[in-house]
């Protein structure tokens, strides 16, 4: 299983804070996972198409081509604004 | 090497208390602290409060990494980062950074490095309530440039 988390605007726009997916072809990389989720609806496609969207795998910021394996935690979020 | 003191919490913090902790060693000649507060304006709007969301687990990990990077660059003794989450009202404290070192240059530079990196790398997001309603604070290019400047 892949545990997927959403934060801030991304969470709010999607109306979901987390979900789980079976590991497979559609989750092979961070980008593949984004594509799989984008296929859910126009709303998901629009939110996940943002060029500002960031992705972290196992709590480390990473590139879209980062491989994902069973048991990973993947988070999607906008640029950070703390401090 | 001293331990980093890194806290992510809803509760407010005491600047005098944190200062005492950082200033405890007589081997340090310099203590620099920074406090970030909720201010009354942003992008021309009157702000009344802020809600800080974060990514539990990743936040602490990133703050530890940033603290370790600061220690690699400068000879630091005490290092504290406290970041609040949840809702904070106008004038309230959001973030505390404090470092001690033998000399002032290292302490000043490390404090600035820590806040520049925290603002661009640590997974915190600000939701602002103003006279125009509620909205997420956009990331600023100026903050990105400040963090990038340390990489040159």
């Amino acid at each position: 299983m892949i545990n997927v988390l959403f934060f801030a605007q991304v969470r709010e726009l999607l109306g979901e804070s987390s979900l789980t997916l079976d590991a497979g072809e559609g989750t092979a990389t961070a980008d593949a996972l984004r594509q799989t989720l984008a296929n859910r609806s126009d709303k998901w496609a629009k939110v996940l198409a943002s060029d500002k969207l960031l992705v972290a795998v196992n709590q480390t910021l990473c590139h879209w081509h980062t491989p994902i394996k069973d048991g990973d935690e993947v988070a999607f979020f906008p640029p950070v604004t703390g401090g | 090497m001293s331990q980093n003191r890194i806290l992510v919490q809803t509760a407010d913090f005491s600047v005098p208390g944190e200062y005492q902790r950082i200033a405890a060693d007589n081997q340090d000649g310099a203590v620099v602290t920074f406090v970030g507060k909720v201010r009354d304006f942003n992008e021309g709007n009157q702000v009344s409060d802020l809600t800080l969301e974060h990514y539990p687990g990743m936040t602490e990990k990133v703050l530890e990494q940033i603290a370790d990077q600061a220690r690699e660059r400068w000879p630091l003794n005490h290092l504290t980062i406290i970041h609040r989450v949840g809702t904070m009202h106008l004038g309230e404290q959001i973030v505390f950074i404090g470092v001690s070192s033998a000399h002032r240059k290292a302490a000043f530079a490390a404090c600035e490095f820590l806040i520049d990196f925290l603002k661009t790398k640590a997974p915190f997001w600000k939701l602002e309530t103003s006279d125009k309603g509620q909205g997420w604070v956009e990331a600023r290019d100026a903050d990105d440039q400040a963090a990038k400047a340390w990489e040159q």
Side-chain angles (χ1 to χ4, degrees), chain B residues 34-55:
Chain B
F34 169 82
V35 175
K37 293 173 63 208
V38 181
R39 65 167 184 226
D40 65 0
F41 68 95
N42 190 35
E43 309 281 335
N45 300 335
Q46 287 290 315
V47 174
S48 56
D49 64 56
L50 273 183
T51 299
L52 261 293
E53 177 174 337
H54 80 126
Y55 178 178

Side-chain angles (χ1 to χ4, degrees), chain A residues 5-9 11-12 52 56 58-61 73-75 77-83, chain B residues 53-58 61 83 94-95 118-126 136-139:
Chain A
L5 305 173
F6 307 101
F7 291 98
Q9 296 100 311
R11 171 183 55 74
E12 203 172 74
K52 289 187 172 170
N58 296 330
Q59 305 176 348
T60 301
L61 200 64
E73 177 178 288
V74 184
F77 48 80
V80 307
T81 56
Chain B
E53 177 174 337
H54 80 126
Y55 178 178
M58 181 173 172
K61 203 160 130 177
H83 205 299
I94 306 170
V95 60
L118 183 152
K119 283 189 87 75
T120 52
K121 312 281 186 209
F124 292 105
W125 300 274
K126 280 178 181 157
W136 292 95
V137 175
E138 292 277 325

Side-chain angles (χ1 to χ4, degrees), chain A residues 14 37-50:
Chain A
L14 295 176
L37 293 170
N39 289 337
R40 291 186 145 209
S41 75
D42 286 350
K43 179 177 79 178
W44 284 69
K46 192 178 167 203
V47 174
L48 297 174
S50 165

Side-chain angles (χ1 to χ4, degrees), chain B residues 20 57 103 119 122 151:
Chain B
Q20 272 195 340
H103 301 290
K119 283 189 87 75
E151 288 161 11

